[in-house]
Amino acid sequence: QRRILEASSQDVVDTLLELIHKAGGKLKGGEAVNELAKANTAFRSVIDSSGGLKKFCLEHREVEFITESGGQGCVQRRIDEVSSQDVVDALLQLLNDHGGKLSGSSAVSELLKTKTAFKTYLNDRGGLRKFCAMRREINFVAEPG
């Protein structure tokens, strides 16, 4: 009887990232599952226990499953993932660097220099003012003029 190697979810993610890299950044879903099974037969069980590759990718922030129009889905490294805390940390650093005060437009401009994904993140939350209103660490103060 063939011995089945044990595998963790992180083992699958690590191998998947290697396969994605070797494939040039994207890997077709069916091909990804087949290549994972070649690397370790237990990887297929890990994927299946999540409900398939798409659901597995939803559970792990390092990879994402993209469904391309008219075709099969593919897996890629998640691009520029940004958390709320990432934005807060960057804003607090900017405020420290500027004496505790910075105009809204300057703050957004400076944030973009740090990481371009911050702009999309803030836009998705209604802008800098609304983002700051949701956070207790930062006050957005509108000044006349």
Side-chain angles (χ1 to χ4, degrees):
Q1 183 174 356
R2 186 174 177 179
R3 184 173 172 228
I4 297 175
L5 301 173
E6 290 187 28
S8 70
S9 292
Q10 193 58 52
D11 293 334
V12 175
V13 169
D14 293 343
T15 304
L16 191 52
L17 289 171
E18 287 176 30
L19 292 169
I20 290 167
H21 178 74
K22 287 177 185 174
K26 281 186 183 177
L27 192 59
K28 290 182 180 177
E31 187 180 336
V33 173
N34 288 337
E35 290 298 317
L36 285 167
K38 284 181 193 175
N40 182 336
T41 54
F43 286 171
R44 186 178 294 269
S45 299
V46 174
I47 298 285
D48 290 346
S49 69
S50 291
L53 185 59
K54 189 173 187 176
K55 288 183 180 178
F56 178 85
C57 290
L58 286 171
E59 295 170 358
H60 298 88
R61 61 183 289 179
E62 299 98 325
V63 291
E64 65 183 341
F65 189 93
I66 306 293
T67 304
E68 296 175 337
S69 61
Q72 180 182 10
C74 65
V75 184
Q76 66 184 24
R77 178 182 293 275
R78 193 173 304 274
I79 301 170
D80 276 333
E81 187 168 320
V82 173
S83 72
S84 178
Q85 194 59 51
D86 292 337
V87 177
V88 168
D89 291 344
L91 277 169
L92 290 173
Q93 184 61 53
L94 284 172
L95 288 169
N96 285 341
D97 294 348
H98 290 88
K101 191 175 181 182
L102 191 62
S103 73
S105 60
S106 294
V108 172
S109 173
E110 291 295 319
L111 278 173
L112 286 176
K113 291 177 187 174
T114 307
K115 193 172 205 174
T116 56
F118 286 161
K119 181 175 175 111
T120 303
Y121 186 88
L122 289 172
N123 286 344
D124 289 349
R125 280 141 192 88
L128 182 61
R129 181 187 299 236
K130 287 184 179 180
F131 175 79
C132 291
M134 294 184 289
R135 304 299 304 201
R136 61 183 171 84
E137 303 97 321
I138 302 169
N139 288 325
F140 187 102
V141 179
E143 294 183 354

